[in-house]
Amino acid sequence: MIYKEKPENFKPAFEVSGCFCEHDGKLLFLKRRPGKTYAGKWGMPGGKIEQGETPEEAMTRELFEETGIEPGRYDLGYVGCYLANQNGKDMSYHLFVARLHDFVDVSPAEGESQESCWVKIEESTGLNLVEDIPEVLKEAFPKKFS
């Protein structure tokens, strides 16, 4: 569940960064592996922010680790920080959009995701998405869902 205002007794256990990778009106989604949280659902690159990292540094690292997309191949824009509760854990979620300069054929890193796909932004909510992604999609790309 995503919150716009801080709920009473909200205590984030950790912070994460995630991003929508966009190129030519399509978004990159990664299918979660069996054994991972939300196995079999489609998500976006991202992960926990390590100690000493900024949200942007964490996003750059996670994007490279999960997709092989290198810094310099995209412009990274900050959408905002969301407060979320997933699986009973409170967290701060920093959302970015990475606008790719050119198309990248992504091969998910071993142990990360099962497969990847590029989907038109306005059709992306038809995927079996990880909890809360449809809501933040609409905030990151309001013109596509108006």
Side-chain angles (χ1 to χ4, degrees):
M1 170 167 280
I2 296 268
Y3 304 102
K4 304 228 189 254
E5 294 183 26
K6 186 176 179 180
E8 190 174 326
N9 299 321
F10 185 86
K11 294 182 178 129
F14 51 90
E15 289 186 279
V16 298
S17 285
C19 81
F20 292 114
C21 294
E22 186 269 332
H23 182 261
D24 198 26
K26 293 184 178 181
L27 296 177
L28 172 67
F29 288 94
L30 306 174
K31 192 171 190 180
R32 306 279 297 169
R33 284 194 173 286
K36 291 226 176 214
T37 306
Y38 301 113
K41 292 190 176 241
W42 293 93
M44 56 187 161
K48 289 183 183 176
I49 298 173
E50 294 178 358
Q51 186 149 356
E53 279 185 319
T54 66
E56 185 173 341
E57 290 168 339
M59 191 63 262
T60 300
R61 175 184 51 78
E62 288 286 347
L63 187 54
F64 181 72
E65 287 176 0
E66 294 185 13
T67 67
I69 299 174
E70 299 170 339
R73 298 197 66 181
Y74 55 87
D75 295 318
L76 192 62
Y78 189 65
V79 175
C81 181
Y82 297 85
L83 304 176
N85 184 290
Q86 292 184 342
N87 297 324
K89 294 180 182 175
D90 291 336
M91 69 177 92
S92 297
Y93 195 92
H94 298 273
L95 180 64
F96 295 86
V97 173
R99 288 187 164 55
L100 301 176
H101 301 160
D102 50 20
F103 179 77
V104 177
D105 189 17
V106 173
S107 297
E110 188 174 324
E112 290 290 341
S113 299
Q114 200 169 336
E115 57 186 279
S116 65
C117 69
W118 289 91
V119 179
K120 287 183 181 178
I121 296 170
E122 58 274 15
E123 295 173 3
S124 58
T125 55
L127 292 173
N128 182 19
L129 295 170
V130 170
E131 175 184 340
D132 299 326
I133 288 182
E135 185 177 345
V136 294
L137 257 170
K138 292 172 184 174
E139 292 207 19
F141 302 97
K143 292 179 182 175
K144 296 289 185 177
F145 296 99
S146 55

